[in-house]
Amino acid sequence: MRKHITGFSNPTIKYLRSLRDKKHRKRARQFLVEGLRLLEDARACGRLPQMLVMAEGREHPLLEPLEAAVTAAGGTVIATTPDILSKITGKDNAQSVAGVFDEWDTALARLDRKAAPIWLVAQALRDPGNLGTMLRTADAVGAGGLILIDDCADPFSAEAVRASMGAVFTVGLAQARWDEFLPWLRAGPGQLVAASLRDAVPYRGADYRAPCFILVGNESQGLPEDYEAACDQRVTIPMKGRADSLNAAVAGAVLAYEVLAAIAGQS
């Protein structure tokens, strides 16, 4: 049964609005997802929201099976006004539905490095749009996952989830410090390749080996020198114009497709 809420001061509405803030999101270990497409992507991956919030008067054929799935799983369904849904999401033209998901475990130990020949690794990536784009790239190339190193943007923020276009639900995700990641990597097979300018070889024709972990650094600072020194290989992408570097997420995508092609050619 739907629970109807029409007051802005309702405690549930206040809680939902608080999930836009990282501090509250981390304390609750829940995050908010807006839009039917993203919620359908999540359902297709076996993830259902704990709470489904629907705007009254904005029915859609796909809402009924989604609502039924949430109810069957013991979740809560809330019907409210379009204005209140806009307040919850912080968007003037909010879509017809939003969902609250539990954050999942992002420990390195959850990952199986043998699950895929290619992995993406981002160090101190600060822009949630870039993070979401790297998740989309990981999904597109069939990567085993995206590993976030050190102080990256929150992968469960509304901006990152939206930019991922649903890939946050399809791609393995881990978060760790560098001093956790490097021993984990060296404890098994894995080639660490960095996008770099220091003693680097051209990215085309480099010797890539599966499983290959592609490391991209911070948008403005790049990778720390000692991080680059720990890599098995450093590669560079040629720049033919006035720009001296690519966007971090774009560089990751370019390298990912090159590595994918190289590894495929070895089989």
Side-chain angles (χ1 to χ4, degrees), residues 56-253:
E56 294 174 321
R58 294 185 179 177
E59 301 297 329
H60 189 283
L62 292 177
L63 277 176
E64 185 175 341
L66 178 60
E67 181 179 1
V70 171
T71 301
T76 302
V77 178
I78 293 173
T80 190
T81 66
D83 284 347
I84 290 179
L85 186 57
S86 291
K87 288 291 184 182
I88 290 170
T89 62
K91 295 178 67 177
D92 291 336
N93 297 308
Q95 297 189 42
S96 59
V97 64
V100 176
F101 290 81
D102 289 337
E103 292 187 1
W104 47 86
D105 182 13
T106 57
L108 277 173
R110 291 183 64 251
L111 300 182
D112 176 9
R113 71 180 72 208
K114 297 178 182 178
I118 180 172
W119 296 75
L120 300 185
V121 186
Q123 188 268 334
L125 200 68
R126 298 300 177 85
D127 187 292
N130 282 337
L131 196 160
T133 298
M134 289 197 72
L135 282 168
R136 290 177 69 183
T137 298
D139 180 88
V141 300
L146 171 64
I147 302 172
L148 303 176
I149 302 298
D150 298 338
D151 298 317
C152 286
D154 181 6
F156 299 116
S157 70
E159 297 83 2
V161 171
R162 191 180 307 118
S164 80
M165 294 294 288
V168 69
F169 297 112
T170 66
V171 172
L173 181 65
Q175 300 181 85
R177 309 299 300 183
W178 177 255
D179 58 6
E180 298 172 87
F181 167 72
L182 194 59
W184 173 85
L185 180 69
R186 297 311 182 199
Q191 179 194 43
L192 187 59
V193 175
S196 173
L197 295 175
R198 296 188 184 103
D199 300 320
V201 300
Y203 82 108
R204 286 192 167 170
D207 183 23
Y208 301 112
R209 299 293 173 183
C212 182
F213 292 78
I214 300 169
L215 176 62
V216 175
N218 173 266
E219 291 93 340
S220 59
Q221 307 273 335
L223 288 166
E225 190 170 353
D226 57 328
Y227 288 30
E228 292 187 342
C231 293
D232 300 302
Q233 189 161 220
R234 292 173 293 278
V235 297
T236 185
I237 301 171
M239 307 294 297
K240 296 185 178 295
R242 293 175 59 89
D244 60 1
S245 65
L246 286 174
N247 168 276
V250 172

